[in-house]
Amino acid sequence: MSDRPEWTELPDLASRRFGGTVMWATDELFAEKENLVNPWVPAHRAETFGPKGQVYDGWETRRHREPGDDQAIVRLGLAGTVTGVIVDTAFFKGNYPPFVSVEATSLPGYPSAAEVAAAEWDVLVDRAPASGHTENFYAVNGSRRYTHVRLTQHPDGGVARLRVHGAPIPDPALLDLDALDLAALENGAIVTGCSNRFYSSPNNILSPGLAAHQAEGWETARRRDDGNDWVTLRLAGAGIVRFVELDTSNLKGNAPGWASVSGRETYGEWVPLLPKTRLQPDTRHRFALPDGPEVSEARLDIYPDGGLARLRLFGRLTEAGRTNLKARFDKTR
């Protein structure tokens, strides 16, 4: 069992993998602000010096000699509600901030850094103590949909990563509700269960774009029993699935041999969508489905184990799905 908070299993809305970016920072003399949203675990090589000192896989500011704090503004890759924040100070041992705070705001469109800085901000983490060389976990009771967050170091120092975990909430006005990926994180789908996440998170298979390498997909440990691995998810909304895409790209000796997909009818039973089907390694497979029932959840089974780069469930939202999607957006505005 992991001792990490349960909310860390939700997607990191700030991750560069989902399009997150660090728009602005007060200072980044020692290490670049962009490192804050890198999706990988922070790395470090001792006694690796550049023109400005030790090279860090993180964001590090100069030492203050006057009063003041350092800040960085992040545009979330996925707008959504926030359940918890991680301020990871990995490898910052004598140069981490003793206190941090995190704020959030919600703005339409594509505002500039100056426009974001001038917005009204909600406090998510209120000047909390931070420790060095560790993941600092802060639970958030967030109910609003946010598009940007602001990290403040009190007063200065280094932070390796800022993780903003929560549930994506898309704007229905920016979606084609008659033709969309019902399993995409950016459309509001979310993983609800998983048999094994030894090598990587199942959230990866719902990510936008193509996986650049196998670590950007979902991969399980090798099974030594007669079972199989699986993932369940809540779809973006109740809908009709017309195409299934199972992508094993970059998975050559560790792709599943077979896979199946089932859907759960709204307030009903699980029904098969794609029967157990043979897969090839390093291949994007697409399957057309016959007209099926309205489903609001899906389950992917892989046999017996292995990895998948992406899962796509293309289709359309039903009236119930459209209503629920709009209601989630309106409730969190």
Side-chain angles (χ1 to χ4, degrees):
M1 290 292 291
S2 171
D3 58 358
R4 295 166 62 82
E6 186 176 353
W7 50 260
T8 61
E9 296 182 1
L10 293 170
D12 174 11
L13 305 179
S15 174
R16 184 65 182 169
R17 182 168 292 156
F18 304 139
T21 188
V22 186
M23 302 179 68
W24 169 88
T26 51
D27 182 82
E28 51 180 333
L29 186 139
F30 286 115
E32 296 82 3
K33 64 185 186 300
E34 286 81 7
N35 290 329
L36 280 172
V37 296
N38 287 340
W40 55 84
V41 175
H44 184 71
R45 291 178 60 192
E47 300 183 8
T48 304
F49 293 94
K52 296 181 180 179
Q54 170 67 46
V55 176
Y56 278 98
D57 183 10
W59 168 51
E60 186 185 6
T61 68
R62 72 190 73 204
R63 300 186 187 213
H64 282 194
R65 301 309 186 204
E66 297 177 355
D69 298 317
D70 281 318
Q71 294 183 322
I73 292 177
V74 174
R75 185 184 69 227
L76 299 178
L78 298 171
T81 56
V82 179
T83 307
V85 171
I86 301 175
V87 178
D88 187 350
T89 56
F91 304 107
F92 289 100
K93 299 177 180 180
N95 49 354
Y96 64 92
F99 297 90
V100 297
S101 60
V102 181
E103 302 160 282
T105 190
S106 182
L107 295 172
Y110 308 96
S112 67
E115 291 168 332
V116 176
E120 294 185 4
W121 294 84
D122 295 337
V123 175
L124 301 184
V125 179
D126 191 7
R127 194 182 172 90
S131 299
H133 190 44
T134 190
E135 289 183 301
N136 295 276
F137 299 102
Y138 305 102
V140 175
N141 187 20
S143 58
R144 288 194 60 199
R145 176 184 184 268
Y146 294 113
T147 57
H148 299 76
V149 296
R150 181 166 64 189
L151 169 65
T152 301
Q153 300 189 68
H154 304 283
D156 55 36
V159 172
R161 298 289 188 272
L162 175 65
R163 311 290 195 197
V164 182
H165 293 273
I169 306 290
D171 182 349
L174 302 179
L175 299 179
D176 182 350
L177 304 185
D178 287 319
L180 76 165
D181 180 3
L182 299 172
L185 284 174
E186 61 186 349
N187 294 338
I190 198 80
V191 169
T192 56
C194 177
S195 61
N196 184 282
R197 57 179 75 222
F198 184 86
Y199 287 108
S200 47
S201 170
N203 288 311
N204 291 346
I205 63 174
L206 312 185
S207 299
L210 301 176
H213 48 75
Q214 69 181 44
E216 290 191 357
W218 165 57
E219 186 182 357
T220 72
R222 299 188 187 208
R223 297 191 74 97
R224 304 305 185 189
D225 57 24
D226 295 329
N228 72 281
D229 286 314
W230 52 267
V231 172
T232 57
L233 57 144
R234 187 196 72 203
L235 300 179
I240 308 297
V241 181
R242 298 186 59 239
F243 298 94
V244 171
E245 184 172 299
L246 303 175
D247 184 358
T248 60
S249 294
N250 309 305
L251 297 150
K252 299 177 180 179
N254 47 1
W258 302 264
S260 65
V261 178
S262 53
R264 188 173 188 176
E265 296 178 287
T266 308
Y267 313 116
E269 301 295 324
W270 288 93
V271 295
L273 298 179
L274 179 72
K276 187 174 180 179
T277 302
R278 189 181 67 168
L279 301 182
Q280 297 295 335
D282 196 28
T283 301
R284 291 176 65 187
H285 311 75
R286 179 173 286 205
F287 306 98
L289 303 184
D291 290 341
E294 174 186 272
V295 294
S296 55
E297 299 174 67
R299 172 174 169 132
L300 165 71
D301 282 272
I302 60 174
Y303 304 92
D305 56 28
L308 202 71
R310 295 290 185 267
L311 167 68
R312 308 294 190 203
L313 300 176
F314 297 105
R316 64 175 178 84
L317 290 176
T318 61
E319 286 305 315
R322 295 164 193 249
T323 298
N324 290 337
L325 184 69
K326 186 176 186 302
R328 284 204 305 273
F329 177 75
D330 291 340
K331 183 180 178 181
T332 57
R333 295 178 68 181

